[in-house]
Amino acid sequence: MIFFSFLFFLIGILSSLFSPFFLLLAGIPFCYLFFYRKQKNAFLFFFCTIIGFLLIFLYPKGEENLSSITGLVVSKKENYYLLLTWKGKYYVSNQSDEITLLSFLTLSGKVKDLSFTHYESVFNFKQYLRSNGVFYEFQSIETKILFKNTITSTPVKNFIFSDLDENSTIFLSSLLCGDSFYSLKEGKSFKDLGLASFFSLSGFHISFLFSFMENHIPRKSKQYFLYIEFVILLFFLFLSDYRYSIRRIFLLKLFSLVNKKSRWNLAYIERLSLVAFLMLFLEP
């Protein structure tokens, strides 16, 4: 049931993003469930399509006529951060280390459209921001920190990479934390060959690590292995500054842990669908 709910929900989102004609795709699983499987709750699944379709229009995209915004820093990079507010997300240019991830801020200034130079076959930063639900930039004149998060991954990273040279630090930071290693001379070559994702922290690396560990731990300890996975994932989630792909596998392990302790007995595909449903609902 959860899988079909997610499937219909996904069709609704695709219809809203690309074309209403995608709604016709919902007719295929609907006919299968209603006429072949004789499931009366097929109309409930179709309702999920409508929710997915309307969600994009209801999702806050920011407002232009604002002189002050208050929100949470949900992404922090070297020269900018993303601020999540009730009105939507905003791009804020900033190179100060004073602003940390998950800090709560009030900014005074003005809103402007996103405007970044894009060259052919080069990374489209504006499109990247839009895919993250960011449609406006806020030019801050005054920043007031209401709450500063002091628990950050920076001290841990500095400790891990303290004895490495610059190239090794960039490469290992990509593999352990998901940071970009394109500043390396070889970075562009990896990207052109389609190998960049192999050297950036992802669910693939963590799944491979867990598979390797599970095959080499004592049989008596395997009953606790799910808890071990959860703790390791919590560390990688923190180290990667809550990277999207790590959040996905973290939630999946969390639901697996809850499922193990409950009477739900959800299949893997249902747990995966539940995670995808939740993440797409929050960030369509």
Side-chain angles (χ1 to χ4, degrees), residues 13 24 32 46 69 84 94 154 169 202-203 207 215 225 236 245 276:
I13 288 182
L24 298 175
Y32 168 75
F46 198 78
I69 58 174
L84 177 64
N94 180 273
T154 303
T169 297
S202 66
S207 297
N215 291 328
F225 188 64
F236 274 112
S245 60

Side-chain angles (χ1 to χ4, degrees), residues 167 170-171 174 180-197 199:
N167 286 350
I170 294 173
F171 188 83
S174 176
S180 174
F181 69 104
Y182 292 150
S183 53
L184 280 174
K185 182 176 64 176
E186 299 83 358
K188 187 177 183 303
S189 299
F190 281 118
K191 183 179 180 181
D192 292 341
L193 292 170
L195 299 175
S197 60
F199 300 98

Side-chain angles (χ1 to χ4, degrees), residues 127-139:
Q127 187 62 38
Y128 167 77
L129 289 175
R130 286 181 173 273
S131 70
N132 280 271
V134 181
F135 298 90
Y136 294 103
E137 175 182 357
F138 192 89
Q139 290 186 327

Side-chain angles (χ1 to χ4, degrees), residues 249-260:
I249 191 172
F250 175 80
L251 283 175
L252 182 59
K253 291 298 179 183
L254 177 62
F255 286 170
S256 297
L257 193 62
V258 173
N259 186 62
K260 184 179 180 181

Side-chain angles (χ1 to χ4, degrees), residues 227 254-266 271:
Y227 299 96
L254 177 62
F255 286 170
S256 297
L257 193 62
V258 173
N259 186 62
K260 184 179 180 181
K261 291 295 183 179
S262 67
R263 297 180 180 179
W264 295 346
N265 196 26
L266 297 178
R271 298 197 300 271

Side-chain angles (χ1 to χ4, degrees), residues 93-272:
S93 178
N94 180 273
Q95 295 183 349
S96 171
D97 292 331
E98 187 179 7
I99 306 300
T100 59
L101 185 68
L102 300 182
S103 292
F104 204 64
L105 314 173
T106 292
L107 307 181
S108 297
K110 64 178 182 179
V111 180
K112 59 175 290 189
D113 289 329
L114 296 174
S115 58
F116 299 98
T117 303
H118 173 62
Y119 300 99
E120 188 176 357
S121 300
V122 178
F123 178 68
N124 190 335
F125 186 59
K126 182 178 179 179
Q127 187 62 38
Y128 167 77
L129 289 175
R130 286 181 173 273
S131 70
N132 280 271
V134 181
F135 298 90
Y136 294 103
E137 175 182 357
F138 192 89
Q139 290 186 327
S140 177
I141 299 174
E142 181 183 1
T143 300
K144 182 179 180 181
I145 302 178
L146 303 177
F147 167 76
K148 182 176 181 178
N149 177 32
T150 57
I151 305 175
T152 67
S153 62
T154 303
V156 180
K157 292 179 182 179
N158 292 338
F159 174 77
I160 294 174
F161 307 131
S162 58
D163 296 325
L164 300 177
D165 58 43
E166 183 181 3
N167 286 350
S168 300
T169 297
I170 294 173
F171 188 83
L172 193 60
S173 180
S174 176
L175 193 58
L176 290 180
C177 312
D179 298 330
S180 174
F181 69 104
Y182 292 150
S183 53
L184 280 174
K185 182 176 64 176
E186 299 83 358
K188 187 177 183 303
S189 299
F190 281 118
K191 183 179 180 181
D192 292 341
L193 292 170
L195 299 175
S197 60
F198 285 100
F199 300 98
S200 180
L201 179 68
S202 66
F204 164 76
H205 296 94
I206 294 179
S207 297
F208 180 82
L209 173 64
F210 288 161
S211 178
F212 178 82
M213 290 175 59
E214 190 173 15
N215 291 328
H216 290 82
I217 63 172
R219 183 174 298 180
K220 293 182 180 179
S221 303
K222 289 194 174 182
Q223 58 180 321
Y224 305 107
F225 188 64
L226 187 59
Y227 299 96
I228 297 173
E229 288 180 319
F230 187 77
V231 172
I232 294 175
L233 266 174
L234 194 60
F235 173 73
F236 274 112
L237 186 67
F238 173 74
L239 200 63
S240 66
D241 291 330
Y242 310 98
R243 187 179 174 90
Y244 191 86
S245 60
I246 311 305
R247 274 184 280 157
R248 181 175 61 242
I249 191 172
F250 175 80
L251 283 175
L252 182 59
K253 291 298 179 183
L254 177 62
F255 286 170
S256 297
L257 193 62
V258 173
N259 186 62
K260 184 179 180 181
K261 291 295 183 179
S262 67
R263 297 180 180 179
W264 295 346
N265 196 26
L266 297 178
Y268 177 80
I269 187 65
E270 293 178 311
R271 298 197 300 271
L272 189 63

